[in-house]
Each structure stands twice: as structure tokens, then as C-alpha cells.
Amino acid sequence: DAGITQSPRHKVTETGTPVTLRCHQTENHRYMYWYRQDPGHGLRLIHYSYGVKDTDKGEVSDGYSVSRSKTEDFLLTLESATSSQTSVYFCAIGGRGLTEAFFGQGTRLTVV
Amino acid sequence: KNEVEQSPQNLTAQEGEFITINCSYSVGISALHWLQQHPGGGIVSLFMLSSGKKKHGRLIATINIQEKHSSLHITASHPRDSAVYICAVRGNTDKLIFGTGTRLQVFP
């Protein structure tokens, strides 16, 4: 298995609170991605990173920010969580365009 | 209309049956991925295709670039094949576009 771990695996938080999800890799991949998965939708890209301090927005980036200060860590922050951000979040690593697609186990976030 | 459509959305089968899951897409692509997601959430990459056909064990994936269509076949299905199968395409923007998945249940 590729060395990619997400934390926490489950979280319940209140509307308006900040939340940070962490993705940690031991594979030294340049590209890292954050997706959300919701019923009736395919995985949707939130943000991605193509190197330390190099990030870009995906299709559903509103309300989210990311940071990548080290190759191995990619953080996703919900500045002020809303109920619409209740979802399962997946981190992925790989080469450009995910030629090698490795996914984390997912984080189930519930905003109440 | 989604850029990546999968069919069927849900599929049930008896153990041993031959299974086909279809993926159609409407954008130009450089590659197509088939992924598997088991209950509990982990997503595993099964195949990446840019042309032709690939086989791994009981799984076979094919792609027809001209028709913008791919199929995933499972021969001699088994209950452990029960999962959600996801098609994703890598377009010219170099990002992946995902289908909504096909939920497969194989009964003994």
C-alpha cells in the first residue's frame, strides 16, 4: 500500500468552527490532491498542490483553503464550517494528473 | 449532463456471473482510470488505460477512444468483488473527472 494517511478519520464539528484535515505521505510524490465525495456526485476536486507552497484551486474550492509547507503534508482547512461541507474527504497522491492514483482512507466530516 | 457517465448505477449478481460496467465520456482524454471503493471507504486504482485492453486476474478493462467508451469486466464474480467501481478520465487540463460510480453486489 502506498504510504498515505489521513487524519482524523472521523470528525463532528459545529457550524462556524474551523476544521483542519491532514494528509501525510511517505512516497515523496510531488502532486497531492483533496477531493470530496457526496451522494449523486463523483469525486470532486477541491484543491491540489504541485509542490511545496504551490497550490491551485479545483472545481469546488469555495470555503476551503490549503497549505503545503512540506512535501509530505497537505492540509485542508475549512475556515468556518457549514452544513454543506458535510462530506467524505479524500486525499490522493501521484504523478502529474494522477498517473499513479493512490488515495487515503478518507475522512468523514459531519457539520452540525 | 455529466462529462463522465457510468452504467448501470447499481448492479446485483450471483456468484460466478460475468459482469460488465460501462463508462462513457464526452471530453477529449489522455487516459482513463478504473477505481474500486470498498465499504469503509478506501479507494484503490485498478487500471489506467489510454488505448486497447488490460487484464489483471479476473478483471479486464477495455477502451475505445473513437467511441469515447470504456468497459470493466469481471469474470467469475465473487462476493468479495462487491464494491463501488468508479471511472475517471484525465482530460486535457490534466485533472481527473470522476463518474458517480457503479455499486456492485455479488451474492453467494
Side-chain angles (χ1 to χ4, degrees):
Chain A
D1 287 345
I4 175 171
T5 55
Q6 291 182 230
S7 58
R9 293 291 313 280
H10 301 271
K11 186 169 182 67
V12 180
T13 192
E14 292 186 349
T15 298
T17 60
V19 177
T20 295
L21 309 183
R22 180 181 183 234
C23 178
H24 179 78
Q25 62 144 330
T26 57
E27 305 296 316
N28 203 36
H29 276 287
R30 182 179 169 196
Y31 281 77
M32 298 184 75
Y33 305 79
W34 276 108
Y35 293 90
R36 60 179 289 174
Q37 185 179 42
D38 303 290
H41 293 273
L43 285 154
R44 293 181 290 174
L45 182 63
I46 305 171
H47 281 278
Y48 69 103
S49 170
Y50 46 96
V52 173
K53 295 194 166 90
D54 290 323
T55 64
D56 204 351
K57 295 179 179 180
E59 61 182 304
V60 290
S61 59
D62 287 349
Y64 302 95
S65 62
V66 289
S67 66
R68 186 140 177 233
S69 59
K70 298 184 288 185
T71 298
E72 57 265 35
D73 288 325
F74 191 32
L75 304 181
L76 176 71
T77 298
L78 291 65
E79 301 290 347
S80 177
T82 67
S83 58
S84 65
Q85 293 176 311
T86 292
S87 187
V88 180
Y89 292 86
F90 284 94
C91 175
I93 62 172
R96 184 177 178 183
L98 284 183
T99 51
E100 308 155 31
F102 301 114
F103 289 81
Q105 290 295 306
T107 296
R108 185 172 294 276
L109 176 68
T110 303
V111 183
V112 297
Chain B
K1 189 178 187 302
N2 292 337
E3 292 170 299
V4 180
E5 298 273 359
Q6 288 185 235
S7 64
Q9 288 187 320
N10 295 283
L11 183 57
T12 58
Q14 288 296 124
E15 184 173 355
E17 286 185 2
F18 180 84
I19 288 162
T20 296
I21 300 170
N22 297 298
C23 176
S24 296
Y25 52 91
S26 57
V27 296
I29 70 167
S30 54
L32 181 144
H33 294 255
W34 280 103
L35 309 166
Q36 181 191 56
Q37 184 176 23
H38 276 286
I43 298 173
V44 175
S45 177
L46 297 174
F47 295 104
M48 189 187 77
L49 294 161
S50 54
S51 65
K53 175 178 167 178
K54 285 191 176 179
K55 184 175 189 291
H56 181 70
R58 295 179 295 105
L59 302 179
I60 303 165
T62 63
I63 188 168
N64 185 318
I65 297 292
Q66 287 73 29
E67 294 186 4
K68 295 188 175 179
H69 181 268
S70 176
S71 293
L72 177 68
H73 305 285
I74 305 175
T75 61
S77 60
H78 189 277
R80 65 175 174 266
D81 297 326
S82 297
V84 176
Y85 292 84
I86 302 169
C87 171
V89 301
R90 176 154 52 96
N92 297 328
T93 60
D94 217 29
K95 298 184 183 68
L96 282 178
I97 306 168
F98 291 82
T100 55
T102 295
R103 184 175 300 275
L104 171 66
Q105 290 183 292
V106 182
F107 294 99

